[in-house]
Amino acid sequence: MDLADSWEAHARQWTEWARRPGHDSYGRYHRDQFLRLLPPPGRRTVDVGCGEGRLTQHLKGLGHHIVGIDSSPSMIAAAREADPSMDVRIADAAALPLDDASADLAVAFMSLHDIDAMPAVLRDVARVLAPGGRLCFAIVHPINSAGRFARPAADAPFVIAGDYLRPFRYADTVERDGLAMTFHSQHRPIEAYFRALEAAGFLVEALREPGVPDHGLSSDASRRWQRLPLFLHVRALRP
């Protein structure tokens, strides 16, 4: 089963997870950290891997002329149910249903690590961006996906037992407040993303490793994530 099929299989669980207010980092702090990287709304913004549409809907509310793309029919159905006026489309992110140079911003919020053909996606994003357009993406930080804390304590050591430099598939099952979700993703080292950006012709403008702010902590033990980054944010220019 490829990653797209895995996410389609868990679409109902993800939609329940994402739509419970305050349930995950998105609404507590992560979305707002990511938005600081984005340029203002322009002609068209493409949300690559939009899922059930929570960021798509938020960007639309901020004035972006948004098009959401996802390969999961169930996710797109959920996005349309949330806001029937949104332009969301079922499509392969490596073959975007958009004309060349038809957008000035693409966002990929927590999606590139969930896509098998990541380099091909970045090439097609470069195709649909006009010169001077930008790609902004957030991923699980590769240091995060490479290892884990030895125990759930603020001072716990972080251990990489395997090979950081070797890509591998992984699945994390998380249960919280009566909801369970299995996240299927691909670990890649940072170099893999930057090689793909280089091959697609992007120039990196900004890189952020945002920490968890105090108001985002759910317990004292979660302070361990103030020592290592959960996420990686990148803004790149299409010359």
Side-chain angles (χ1 to χ4, degrees):
M1 183 180 293
D2 64 19
L3 286 170
D5 291 336
S6 297
W7 278 89
E8 169 63 14
H10 290 85
R12 180 184 59 81
Q13 293 95 323
W14 169 250
T15 301
E16 291 177 356
W17 181 281
R19 293 201 172 152
R20 180 172 291 188
H23 187 65
D24 65 6
S25 63
Y26 173 82
R28 296 203 306 273
Y29 60 88
H30 191 199
R31 179 195 67 198
D32 293 340
Q33 289 177 327
F34 180 68
L35 290 177
R36 295 172 194 154
L37 207 63
L38 270 59
R43 180 169 48 128
R44 172 185 276 170
T45 298
V46 185
D47 188 357
V48 180
C50 67
E52 88 315 323
R54 59 180 175 177
L55 181 65
T56 322
Q57 193 171 16
H58 188 77
L59 291 174
K60 178 173 174 278
L62 293 176
H64 288 261
H65 302 284
I66 193 85
V67 179
I69 305 293
D70 205 281
S71 65
S72 165
S74 298
M75 297 279 198
I76 291 295
R80 287 173 177 157
E81 181 183 16
D83 184 349
S85 71
M86 282 198 306
D87 183 357
V88 289
R89 310 177 191 182
I90 302 170
D92 183 345
L96 297 166
L98 299 168
D99 293 336
D100 295 358
S102 62
D104 45 24
L105 176 61
V107 298
F109 182 78
M110 301 301 288
S111 60
L112 291 179
H113 54 277
D114 297 334
I115 297 174
D116 289 301
M118 179 271 294
V121 171
L122 294 187
R123 288 195 299 271
D124 211 49
V125 168
R127 176 187 65 81
V128 304
L129 284 174
R134 286 170 171 81
L135 164 67
C136 298
F137 69 82
I139 57 171
V140 170
H141 198 293
I143 196 72
N144 177 354
S145 56
R148 62 185 63 246
F149 285 101
R151 59 184 185 276
D155 61 349
F158 187 84
V159 178
I160 297 177
D163 185 348
Y164 168 86
L165 293 174
R166 177 182 59 85
F168 57 85
R169 285 276 301 271
Y170 67 97
D172 283 335
T173 299
V174 182
E175 297 185 19
R176 186 186 306 140
D177 301 331
L179 294 180
M181 176 62 196
T182 300
F183 298 84
H184 292 269
S185 300
Q186 173 85 15
H187 166 78
R188 302 178 179 97
I190 290 176
E191 181 181 352
Y193 291 95
F194 278 71
R195 281 185 175 270
L197 288 165
E198 179 184 359
F202 283 104
L203 299 176
V204 173
E205 288 186 326
L207 182 150
R208 302 288 184 268
E209 297 174 296
V212 178
D214 284 342
H215 73 263
L217 298 172
S218 58
S219 66
D220 186 65
S222 63
R223 289 188 180 278
R224 64 190 183 277
W225 286 113
Q226 294 184 317
R227 296 163 40 214
L228 285 172
L230 277 167
F231 308 115
L232 179 70
H233 295 175
V234 173
R235 185 178 68 236
L237 172 71
R238 189 252 197 242

